[in-house]
Amino acid sequence: MSELPKPHVDPIDQGAQARAHGRKRECCPYPAGSEKREAWLEGFTGMPRDRPRDLPLN
């Protein structure tokens, strides 16, 4: 019997789901400095990496 292919898992979606379910940033499953960790954190925070932070409205 052949194995079924593993579904593609998007780290951005994983991070967004983690936040939606009340998990903490520290639960990121990817190692520090990895591209997947950066993508996971992007999903968790909802802030694209290639965009600078918004300035506060003062």
Side-chain angles (χ1 to χ4, degrees):
M1 205 186 276
S2 64
E3 290 185 30
L4 295 174
K6 293 183 180 181
H8 172 70
V9 179
D10 182 22
I12 294 174
D13 289 341
Q14 284 182 323
Q17 287 297 316
R19 182 173 183 174
H21 288 100
R23 296 178 74 192
K24 296 182 179 185
R25 283 177 63 105
E26 294 79 24
C27 74
C28 179
Y30 300 107
S34 71
E35 180 66 27
K36 285 187 176 183
R37 182 179 185 88
E38 294 300 318
W40 191 95
L41 292 171
E42 178 179 337
F44 187 85
T45 63
M47 188 172 72
R49 291 178 277 171
D50 60 349
R51 185 178 143 209
R53 288 187 167 262
D54 290 335
L55 297 174
L57 298 173
N58 288 348

